[in-house]
mmCIF file of all heavy atoms in Angstrom:
data_model
loop_
_atom_site.group_PDB
_atom_site.id
_atom_site.type_symbol
_atom_site.label_atom_id
_atom_site.label_comp_id
_atom_site.label_asym_id
_atom_site.label_seq_id
_atom_site.Cartn_x
_atom_site.Cartn_y
_atom_site.Cartn_z
ATOM 1 N N GLY A 1 25.844 -8.116 -1.365
ATOM 2 C CA GLY A 1 24.839 -7.326 -0.693
ATOM 3 C C GLY A 1 23.833 -6.776 -1.682
ATOM 4 O O GLY A 1 23.340 -7.502 -2.545
ATOM 5 N N SER A 2 23.550 -5.495 -1.583
ATOM 6 C CA SER A 2 22.548 -4.852 -2.430
ATOM 7 C C SER A 2 23.150 -4.448 -3.769
ATOM 8 O O SER A 2 23.204 -3.271 -4.133
ATOM 9 C CB SER A 2 21.955 -3.640 -1.714
ATOM 10 O OG SER A 2 21.360 -4.008 -0.482
ATOM 11 N N VAL A 3 23.589 -5.434 -4.518
ATOM 12 C CA VAL A 3 24.296 -5.143 -5.764
ATOM 13 C C VAL A 3 23.383 -4.493 -6.796
ATOM 14 O O VAL A 3 23.866 -3.776 -7.676
ATOM 15 C CB VAL A 3 24.947 -6.417 -6.338
ATOM 16 C CG1 VAL A 3 26.036 -6.921 -5.408
ATOM 17 C CG2 VAL A 3 23.907 -7.500 -6.567
ATOM 18 N N SER A 4 22.075 -4.726 -6.706
ATOM 19 C CA SER A 4 21.156 -4.120 -7.663
ATOM 20 C C SER A 4 21.074 -2.614 -7.511
ATOM 21 O O SER A 4 20.590 -1.932 -8.418
ATOM 22 C CB SER A 4 19.763 -4.731 -7.524
ATOM 23 O OG SER A 4 19.204 -4.458 -6.252
ATOM 24 N N ARG A 5 21.534 -2.104 -6.408
ATOM 25 C CA ARG A 5 21.507 -0.668 -6.162
ATOM 26 C C ARG A 5 22.770 0.047 -6.613
ATOM 27 O O ARG A 5 22.848 1.272 -6.524
ATOM 28 C CB ARG A 5 21.275 -0.394 -4.671
ATOM 29 C CG ARG A 5 19.902 -0.831 -4.166
ATOM 30 C CD ARG A 5 19.719 -0.472 -2.704
ATOM 31 N NE ARG A 5 18.356 -0.707 -2.249
ATOM 32 C CZ ARG A 5 17.933 -0.462 -1.021
ATOM 33 N NH1 ARG A 5 18.776 0.030 -0.117
ATOM 34 N NH2 ARG A 5 16.673 -0.703 -0.687
ATOM 35 N N ILE A 6 23.747 -0.694 -7.080
ATOM 36 C CA ILE A 6 24.999 -0.089 -7.505
ATOM 37 C C ILE A 6 24.801 0.635 -8.834
ATOM 38 O O ILE A 6 24.263 0.077 -9.784
ATOM 39 C CB ILE A 6 26.107 -1.146 -7.629
ATOM 40 C CG1 ILE A 6 26.424 -1.739 -6.261
ATOM 41 C CG2 ILE A 6 27.364 -0.534 -8.249
ATOM 42 C CD1 ILE A 6 27.419 -2.878 -6.306
ATOM 43 N N ASN A 7 25.249 1.868 -8.892
ATOM 44 C CA ASN A 7 25.153 2.676 -10.103
ATOM 45 C C ASN A 7 26.478 2.783 -10.849
ATOM 46 O O ASN A 7 26.488 2.959 -12.070
ATOM 47 C CB ASN A 7 24.656 4.077 -9.759
ATOM 48 C CG ASN A 7 23.292 4.063 -9.121
ATOM 49 O OD1 ASN A 7 22.370 3.421 -9.618
ATOM 50 N ND2 ASN A 7 23.150 4.776 -8.009
ATOM 51 N N ALA A 8 27.564 2.692 -10.125
ATOM 52 C CA ALA A 8 28.872 2.778 -10.742
ATOM 53 C C ALA A 8 29.897 2.158 -9.805
ATOM 54 O O ALA A 8 29.691 2.102 -8.593
ATOM 55 C CB ALA A 8 29.253 4.229 -11.050
ATOM 56 N N MET A 9 30.981 1.705 -10.363
ATOM 57 C CA MET A 9 32.083 1.181 -9.580
ATOM 58 C C MET A 9 33.380 1.738 -10.132
ATOM 59 O O MET A 9 33.439 2.199 -11.275
ATOM 60 C CB MET A 9 32.107 -0.353 -9.596
ATOM 61 C CG MET A 9 30.883 -0.985 -8.963
ATOM 62 S SD MET A 9 30.969 -2.798 -8.871
ATOM 63 C CE MET A 9 32.282 -3.004 -7.651
ATOM 64 N N GLY A 10 34.398 1.707 -9.312
ATOM 65 C CA GLY A 10 35.667 2.242 -9.756
ATOM 66 C C GLY A 10 36.799 1.877 -8.831
ATOM 67 O O GLY A 10 36.641 1.086 -7.892
ATOM 68 N N TRP A 11 37.931 2.454 -9.135
ATOM 69 C CA TRP A 11 39.148 2.235 -8.375
ATOM 70 C C TRP A 11 39.781 3.567 -8.020
ATOM 71 O O TRP A 11 39.857 4.477 -8.859
ATOM 72 C CB TRP A 11 40.156 1.399 -9.174
ATOM 73 C CG TRP A 11 39.702 0.000 -9.435
ATOM 74 C CD1 TRP A 11 38.979 -0.448 -10.494
ATOM 75 C CD2 TRP A 11 39.951 -1.136 -8.604
ATOM 76 N NE1 TRP A 11 38.759 -1.802 -10.383
ATOM 77 C CE2 TRP A 11 39.343 -2.249 -9.229
ATOM 78 C CE3 TRP A 11 40.622 -1.320 -7.395
ATOM 79 C CZ2 TRP A 11 39.391 -3.533 -8.685
ATOM 80 C CZ3 TRP A 11 40.667 -2.589 -6.852
ATOM 81 C CH2 TRP A 11 40.059 -3.674 -7.502
ATOM 82 N N TYR A 12 40.206 3.676 -6.785
ATOM 83 C CA TYR A 12 41.010 4.788 -6.304
ATOM 84 C C TYR A 12 42.364 4.252 -5.875
ATOM 85 O O TYR A 12 42.531 3.046 -5.656
ATOM 86 C CB TYR A 12 40.351 5.473 -5.104
ATOM 87 C CG TYR A 12 39.231 6.441 -5.426
ATOM 88 C CD1 TYR A 12 38.041 6.008 -5.989
ATOM 89 C CD2 TYR A 12 39.365 7.798 -5.134
ATOM 90 C CE1 TYR A 12 37.015 6.895 -6.269
ATOM 91 C CE2 TYR A 12 38.346 8.694 -5.400
ATOM 92 C CZ TYR A 12 37.172 8.239 -5.969
ATOM 93 O OH TYR A 12 36.152 9.138 -6.233
ATOM 94 N N ARG A 13 43.309 5.162 -5.733
ATOM 95 C CA ARG A 13 44.591 4.773 -5.160
ATOM 96 C C ARG A 13 45.104 5.901 -4.275
ATOM 97 O O ARG A 13 44.757 7.066 -4.455
ATOM 98 C CB ARG A 13 45.611 4.416 -6.235
ATOM 99 C CG ARG A 13 46.067 5.582 -7.108
ATOM 100 C CD ARG A 13 46.985 5.064 -8.215
ATOM 101 N NE ARG A 13 47.483 6.134 -9.063
ATOM 102 C CZ ARG A 13 48.183 5.942 -10.172
ATOM 103 N NH1 ARG A 13 48.479 4.700 -10.567
ATOM 104 N NH2 ARG A 13 48.603 6.986 -10.888
ATOM 105 N N GLN A 14 45.937 5.530 -3.333
ATOM 106 C CA GLN A 14 46.480 6.490 -2.396
ATOM 107 C C GLN A 14 47.936 6.156 -2.118
ATOM 108 O O GLN A 14 48.279 5.012 -1.817
ATOM 109 C CB GLN A 14 45.682 6.498 -1.093
ATOM 110 C CG GLN A 14 46.061 7.615 -0.139
ATOM 111 C CD GLN A 14 45.056 7.768 0.984
ATOM 112 O OE1 GLN A 14 44.366 6.812 1.348
ATOM 113 N NE2 GLN A 14 44.952 8.964 1.534
ATOM 114 N N VAL A 15 48.775 7.171 -2.221
ATOM 115 C CA VAL A 15 50.199 7.030 -1.930
ATOM 116 C C VAL A 15 50.525 7.917 -0.737
ATOM 117 O O VAL A 15 49.807 8.875 -0.439
ATOM 118 C CB VAL A 15 51.065 7.402 -3.149
ATOM 119 C CG1 VAL A 15 50.730 6.505 -4.331
ATOM 120 C CG2 VAL A 15 50.869 8.861 -3.532
ATOM 121 N N PRO A 16 51.615 7.638 -0.037
ATOM 122 C CA PRO A 16 51.960 8.445 1.131
ATOM 123 C C PRO A 16 52.092 9.925 0.797
ATOM 124 O O PRO A 16 52.719 10.293 -0.198
ATOM 125 C CB PRO A 16 53.294 7.859 1.582
ATOM 126 C CG PRO A 16 53.259 6.445 1.107
ATOM 127 C CD PRO A 16 52.534 6.502 -0.211
ATOM 128 N N GLY A 17 51.492 10.762 1.633
ATOM 129 C CA GLY A 17 51.588 12.200 1.468
ATOM 130 C C GLY A 17 50.672 12.791 0.422
ATOM 131 O O GLY A 17 50.768 13.994 0.151
ATOM 132 N N GLU A 18 49.814 11.990 -0.163
ATOM 133 C CA GLU A 18 48.935 12.490 -1.200
ATOM 134 C C GLU A 18 47.487 12.118 -0.903
ATOM 135 O O GLU A 18 47.201 11.227 -0.109
ATOM 136 C CB GLU A 18 49.340 11.937 -2.569
ATOM 137 C CG GLU A 18 50.728 12.344 -3.019
ATOM 138 C CD GLU A 18 51.036 11.873 -4.424
ATOM 139 O OE1 GLU A 18 50.118 11.403 -5.116
ATOM 140 O OE2 GLU A 18 52.208 11.980 -4.829
ATOM 141 N N GLN A 19 46.591 12.839 -1.559
ATOM 142 C CA GLN A 19 45.170 12.543 -1.453
ATOM 143 C C GLN A 19 44.840 11.260 -2.204
ATOM 144 O O GLN A 19 45.516 10.895 -3.163
ATOM 145 C CB GLN A 19 44.345 13.694 -2.028
ATOM 146 C CG GLN A 19 44.374 14.971 -1.221
ATOM 147 C CD GLN A 19 43.371 14.948 -0.105
ATOM 148 O OE1 GLN A 19 43.689 14.539 1.015
ATOM 149 N NE2 GLN A 19 42.145 15.371 -0.384
ATOM 150 N N ARG A 20 43.791 10.617 -1.765
ATOM 151 C CA ARG A 20 43.281 9.492 -2.519
ATOM 152 C C ARG A 20 42.712 10.008 -3.834
ATOM 153 O O ARG A 20 41.941 10.976 -3.849
ATOM 154 C CB ARG A 20 42.205 8.755 -1.716
ATOM 155 C CG ARG A 20 41.725 7.475 -2.358
ATOM 156 C CD ARG A 20 40.742 6.735 -1.461
ATOM 157 N NE ARG A 20 41.356 6.331 -0.202
ATOM 158 C CZ ARG A 20 40.748 5.563 0.701
ATOM 159 N NH1 ARG A 20 39.520 5.110 0.472
ATOM 160 N NH2 ARG A 20 41.371 5.250 1.828
ATOM 161 N N GLU A 21 43.090 9.391 -4.930
ATOM 162 C CA GLU A 21 42.676 9.864 -6.234
ATOM 163 C C GLU A 21 41.931 8.787 -7.002
ATOM 164 O O GLU A 21 42.210 7.592 -6.861
ATOM 165 C CB GLU A 21 43.883 10.338 -7.056
ATOM 166 C CG GLU A 21 44.850 9.241 -7.439
ATOM 167 C CD GLU A 21 45.896 9.684 -8.446
ATOM 168 O OE1 GLU A 21 45.724 10.758 -9.054
ATOM 169 O OE2 GLU A 21 46.889 8.950 -8.624
ATOM 170 N N SER A 22 41.009 9.240 -7.813
ATOM 171 C CA SER A 22 40.273 8.335 -8.675
ATOM 172 C C SER A 22 41.161 7.880 -9.819
ATOM 173 O O SER A 22 41.808 8.697 -10.482
ATOM 174 C CB SER A 22 39.020 9.020 -9.219
ATOM 175 O OG SER A 22 38.322 8.167 -10.108
ATOM 176 N N VAL A 23 41.177 6.589 -10.048
ATOM 177 C CA VAL A 23 41.962 6.001 -11.121
ATOM 178 C C VAL A 23 41.087 5.656 -12.317
ATOM 179 O O VAL A 23 41.428 5.954 -13.463
ATOM 180 C CB VAL A 23 42.714 4.750 -10.629
ATOM 181 C CG1 VAL A 23 43.440 4.062 -11.778
ATOM 182 C CG2 VAL A 23 43.692 5.125 -9.523
ATOM 183 N N ALA A 24 39.972 5.010 -12.058
ATOM 184 C CA ALA A 24 39.079 4.579 -13.123
ATOM 185 C C ALA A 24 37.678 4.405 -12.566
ATOM 186 O O ALA A 24 37.497 4.109 -11.385
ATOM 187 C CB ALA A 24 39.567 3.273 -13.757
ATOM 188 N N ARG A 25 36.702 4.561 -13.427
ATOM 189 C CA ARG A 25 35.302 4.441 -13.037
ATOM 190 C C ARG A 25 34.511 3.875 -14.200
ATOM 191 O O ARG A 25 34.778 4.203 -15.349
ATOM 192 C CB ARG A 25 34.749 5.810 -12.630
ATOM 193 C CG ARG A 25 33.288 5.851 -12.207
ATOM 194 C CD ARG A 25 32.923 7.261 -11.770
ATOM 195 N NE ARG A 25 31.540 7.378 -11.288
ATOM 196 C CZ ARG A 25 30.514 7.759 -12.043
ATOM 197 N NH1 ARG A 25 30.700 8.055 -13.329
ATOM 198 N NH2 ARG A 25 29.302 7.844 -11.513
ATOM 199 N N ILE A 26 33.541 3.047 -13.878
ATOM 200 C CA ILE A 26 32.659 2.509 -14.897
ATOM 201 C C ILE A 26 31.235 2.554 -14.377
ATOM 202 O O ILE A 26 30.953 2.164 -13.251
ATOM 203 C CB ILE A 26 33.077 1.077 -15.311
ATOM 204 C CG1 ILE A 26 32.212 0.580 -16.473
ATOM 205 C CG2 ILE A 26 33.029 0.116 -14.135
ATOM 206 C CD1 ILE A 26 32.760 -0.682 -17.127
#
């Protein structure tokens, strides 16, 4: 899609009973 508009990408993870958390970002 509009990949030229992307400023950053990353990974989140979510486990049962917990908030989704940021793992890594670039």
Side-chain angles (χ1 to χ4, degrees):
S2 301
V3 295
S4 64
R5 294 183 172 181
I6 295 175
N7 300 311
M9 297 184 68
W11 294 89
Y12 280 66
R13 67 185 182 187
Q14 188 168 26
V15 300
E18 298 185 10
Q19 291 276 92
R20 187 175 298 187
E21 66 170 346
S22 177
V23 175
R25 179 177 182 265
I26 185 167

